Amino acid sequence: MAKIAFILLCHKDPEAIIQQAKQFTAVGDYISIHFDARAPKEAYDLIRKKLYGNPNVAFAKKRIKCGWGEWSLVQATLYAVEAAVDAFPRATHFYMVSGDCMSIKSAKYAHKFLDANDVDYIESFDYFESDWIKTGLKEERLIYRHWFNERTQKRRFYWSFWTQRKLGITREVPNDIQIMIGSQWWCLRRRTIEWILNFVKERRDVVRFFKTTWIPDETFFQTLVRHLVPADEIKTRTLTFLMFTDYGMPLTFYNDHYDLLIGQDGLFARKISPEAAELKSRLGKLYASDQEDFNVSAEGWNLFKFLTGRGRIGRRFAPRFWEAEATLGRDRELFVIVCKKWHVAKRLSASIRNHTDIPAIDYLFNEDQTDLPDLGGIQTSLAKRTRHRRSLMRMLFDYYETEKLVICLDTANIDLLEDFFSDRSRARLLEVECDFSDEYLIGHAKRVGLAAPDSSQETLGQIIPTIRYDIAFESERIQDSNFQGYHRIQQDHSQAKNAEILGSFLDVTPEVAQELSATPYLFDG
């Protein structure tokens, strides 16, 4: 009888991890956990404490800090796999899961399924011939060396990339392996896992190559399995059911998706909403049951469209995916900086990026050229960003893998403020009040088309008071709205006073707040 060792990489929500581990081990399976070293020590200690004494639970012998697109994700997986191989000699299969994966069949069904098919399940498509990569970098992931994280060190990442490209500094792919690509959600037999671990020890040249490729968790195991295992023993598919939206983001499943999920041709599903308590409970009970008769249709996408077309309970019409995920997340914090002088807010957001680990994004709803990651197309125009504002923000939280995010808005964006501050997430507002000279207002009038380059002083004299009034009106309207967590720094305040306000707004130490307040030339211009 098959016995599964689940390989779990996770970085948050310790209670959910504990519950997941108990569910897997209650039926005799195993789990090996790598908990990101970036996560709070207290969370890791809680997991160790609650799972202490469970012989079917193992922990990676070394914890490392993981980053999206980095080798660190592969290394963390290898650490967890090594721990599982050593701790669970009876494990026949090793199944990669995430914290938001759940079973959609019973354990009894899963074990019989694996026993009946002596193969490895892993998406493994030819890297160059397949169309698995739809857009963005392809060959460049391999022939250039990538030392920096594209999300957290974007400037260094692209500076390194363009420097290598300009100088023609490329490298060869190891000539005896065929690079493959596919989903990171695999299920491999014990023999295959042991072959991979031996290969890693013997072929350090291949490991060195993958250490500086971009997004190696989509290529490393996929390539090695194809290199080591006969083709007729590989099923090029994942046993984890997942679907993607029109914008390339994973669909999230909710309470009313139970029937859809258990009818899919897979053993697990990703991603289950953290708020779908009923769905989690039902799937947990299903995994522990003896049910074996599942009516598998595998028509996930068509059924999904049908169910959402009927509408959810309590709603006349079903939400589209950006409405279904209309909340940013109850535990997330959105910090909004509003300022009429965009260059002032940009200096402050740059300083926040420099002195804290909170991602800060400039005027994404005001400037078309704002530097944003590729989110599948939703970020391509101001109209799309504004229309799907909450979905966009949710994607940004997910992209940066953060619970805190800073954005900048113009003081005129009262509708956006009202929308974000009505969400269930925790939102805070910082108004940056600046002085406006006549010279600045004249320049502003010309930039927005209220005045021509050669407008007379008489015309400008009529325009300036109106603009000054509009700016004051926007500020008063914000203050009168009584937004929660409202803070305000002012140009004529001392650095010490502004530092105190910034510390309260961002919940940072006095030292960091002082650094932010002392941002060079913050209010100049």
Side-chain angles (χ1 to χ4, degrees):
M1 176 68 74
K3 294 184 78 68
I4 306 170
F6 292 97
I7 308 301
L8 174 63
L9 267 58
C10 46
H11 65 280
K12 61 181 180 179
D13 202 352
E15 292 291 350
I17 294 167
I18 294 165
Q19 183 62 35
Q20 192 176 32
K22 289 181 177 179
Q23 175 187 316
F24 290 154
T25 59
V27 295
D29 286 325
Y30 312 102
I31 187 169
S32 180
I33 301 170
H34 179 278
F35 195 67
D36 198 325
R38 296 182 190 274
K41 181 177 181 298
E42 297 78 13
Y44 182 62
D45 290 343
L46 177 64
I47 297 171
R48 296 291 300 243
K49 178 181 178 181
K50 291 296 182 91
L51 298 177
Y52 178 77
N54 188 329
N56 288 16
V57 177
F59 292 89
K61 296 175 182 177
K62 184 176 182 181
R63 293 172 61 210
I64 59 174
K65 296 179 179 179
C66 296
W68 183 87
E70 293 180 7
W71 168 258
S72 56
L73 288 175
V74 177
Q75 186 62 73
T77 304
L78 289 172
Y79 284 144
V81 166
E82 289 169 352
V85 169
D86 291 343
F88 312 129
R90 297 180 61 196
T92 61
H93 294 77
F94 296 75
Y95 198 128
M96 186 79 180
V97 293
S98 69
D100 54 16
C101 289
M102 286 204 71
S103 60
I104 54 175
K105 300 290 189 295
S106 67
K108 188 173 184 178
Y109 178 97
H111 295 156
K112 285 192 173 182
F113 179 90
L114 294 176
D115 281 336
N117 302 275
D118 188 20
V119 295
D120 295 306
Y121 292 92
I122 184 169
E123 285 191 350
S124 182
F125 302 100
D126 184 275
Y127 188 91
F128 296 100
E129 298 299 325
S130 71
D131 63 346
W132 203 86
I133 299 175
K134 303 295 185 183
T135 60
L137 304 182
K138 187 170 184 177
E139 181 185 27
E140 295 86 350
R141 291 193 190 187
L142 307 177
I143 64 173
Y144 298 119
R145 295 171 176 84
H146 301 279
W147 294 286
F148 305 105
N149 187 294
E150 192 268 345
R151 290 187 174 180
T152 61
Q153 298 174 291
K154 186 177 292 290
R155 292 183 180 178
R156 289 182 178 180
F157 179 91
Y158 286 105
W159 171 84
S160 171
F161 168 73
W162 286 109
T163 299
Q164 293 179 76
R165 185 166 183 168
K166 184 176 181 180
L167 298 178
I169 302 174
T170 60
R171 60 175 176 174
E172 296 292 330
V173 175
N175 58 20
D176 64 332
I177 63 174
Q178 178 186 8
I179 302 297
M180 309 297 287
I181 192 167
S183 165
Q184 63 268 51
W185 312 113
W186 40 254
C187 178
L188 304 177
R189 296 166 296 173
R190 186 181 192 91
R191 183 187 66 177
T192 302
I193 286 292
E194 291 173 346
W195 284 350
I196 290 173
L197 294 180
N198 288 334
F199 184 92
V200 168
K201 294 176 182 177
E202 295 172 2
R203 291 296 302 273
R204 305 308 299 174
D205 59 317
V206 175
V207 174
R208 282 194 299 271
F209 171 79
F210 278 104
K211 279 186 176 180
T212 50
T213 59
W214 188 40
I215 321 182
D217 56 314
E218 293 180 351
T219 54
F220 180 76
F221 291 98
Q222 296 77 1
T223 298
L224 266 58
V225 170
R226 183 66 64 174
H227 182 75
L228 297 169
V229 179
D232 61 355
E233 296 182 22
I234 301 173
K235 290 287 187 181
T236 308
R237 56 159 295 192
T238 174
L239 294 178
T240 298
F241 173 65
L242 67 165
M243 294 193 299
F244 291 89
T245 67
D246 296 336
Y247 290 109
M249 301 299 290
L251 275 171
T252 300
F253 298 109
Y254 297 90
N255 290 332
D256 57 351
H257 289 141
Y258 178 82
D259 291 329
L260 178 152
L261 292 175
I262 65 172
Q264 300 314 305
D265 185 18
L267 304 181
F268 282 76
R270 180 180 186 271
K271 340 175 8 173
I272 308 300
S273 169
E275 300 175 357
E278 179 186 346
L279 177 61
K280 288 185 174 183
S281 176
R282 295 180 72 184
L283 291 177
K285 292 176 181 177
L286 176 66
Y287 191 69
S289 73
D290 290 330
Q291 183 175 340
E292 294 184 58
D293 56 329
F294 291 89
N295 184 20
V296 177
S297 67
E299 296 177 345
W301 182 247
N302 290 334
L303 185 55
F304 176 81
K305 289 193 292 184
F306 170 71
L307 289 175
T308 53
R310 292 172 58 205
R312 298 189 186 280
I313 297 173
R315 298 182 183 178
R316 183 179 178 189
F317 298 107
R320 301 174 76 178
F321 85 90
W322 49 79
E323 295 165 340
E325 298 189 358
T327 179
L328 306 186
R330 192 182 301 276
D331 296 326
R332 287 171 166 171
E333 291 185 279
L334 179 64
F335 301 87
V336 183
I337 299 173
V338 290
C339 183
K340 198 64 179 181
K341 286 188 175 181
W342 293 4
H343 58 278
V344 175
K346 289 179 180 180
R347 288 175 190 147
L348 180 57
S349 68
S351 189
I352 291 171
R353 289 191 294 269
N354 188 42
H355 291 100
T356 76
D357 59 357
I358 307 174
I361 304 172
D362 296 337
Y363 289 81
L364 70 166
F365 295 106
N366 302 102
E367 287 188 303
D368 193 55
Q369 300 304 315
T370 300
D371 186 19
L372 290 171
D374 185 354
L375 300 175
I378 196 173
Q379 83 292 343
T380 53
S381 70
L382 287 176
K384 280 187 177 180
R385 296 177 204 168
T386 304
R387 187 183 313 123
H388 310 313
R389 62 192 71 165
R390 291 200 187 185
S391 181
L392 173 66
M393 297 306 301
R394 190 180 184 101
M395 290 179 185
L396 288 169
F397 274 105
D398 290 341
Y399 178 87
Y400 289 107
E401 297 181 344
T402 183
E403 299 301 315
K404 296 182 177 182
L405 185 67
V406 174
I407 65 170
C408 300
L409 295 179
D410 190 277
T411 53
N413 295 134
I414 190 71
D415 57 331
L416 292 174
L417 290 174
E418 290 173 343
D419 189 18
F420 290 141
F421 278 81
S422 66
D423 186 74
R424 285 181 290 176
S425 63
R426 298 191 295 271
R428 302 186 191 184
L429 179 64
L430 175 71
E431 183 180 4
V432 182
E433 190 172 287
C434 305
D435 296 335
F436 297 94
S437 65
D438 286 353
E439 181 181 8
Y440 175 85
L441 295 178
I442 290 172
H444 175 75
K446 291 179 178 179
R447 285 191 296 272
V448 300
L450 293 175
D454 56 352
S455 293
S456 65
Q457 288 299 317
E458 181 179 357
T459 299
L460 294 174
Q462 295 174 338
I463 292 175
I464 289 173
T466 302
I467 297 176
R468 193 180 296 279
Y469 171 79
D470 284 345
I471 293 174
F473 174 75
E474 289 172 0
S475 177
E476 289 175 2
R477 188 165 55 161
I478 290 172
Q479 294 173 45
D480 291 342
S481 295
N482 295 317
F483 291 119
Q484 63 182 359
Y486 174 80
H487 301 74
R488 180 174 58 167
I489 62 172
Q490 295 176 265
Q491 184 168 348
D492 58 1
H493 281 175
S494 67
Q495 282 190 6
K497 185 171 183 179
N498 282 338
E500 181 181 352
I501 296 169
L502 286 167
S504 175
F505 170 63
L506 290 170
D507 195 19
V508 294
T509 64
E511 293 76 17
V512 171
Q514 184 60 44
E515 292 284 354
L516 297 176
S517 180
T519 299
Y521 315 109
L522 178 58
F523 288 100
D524 284 7

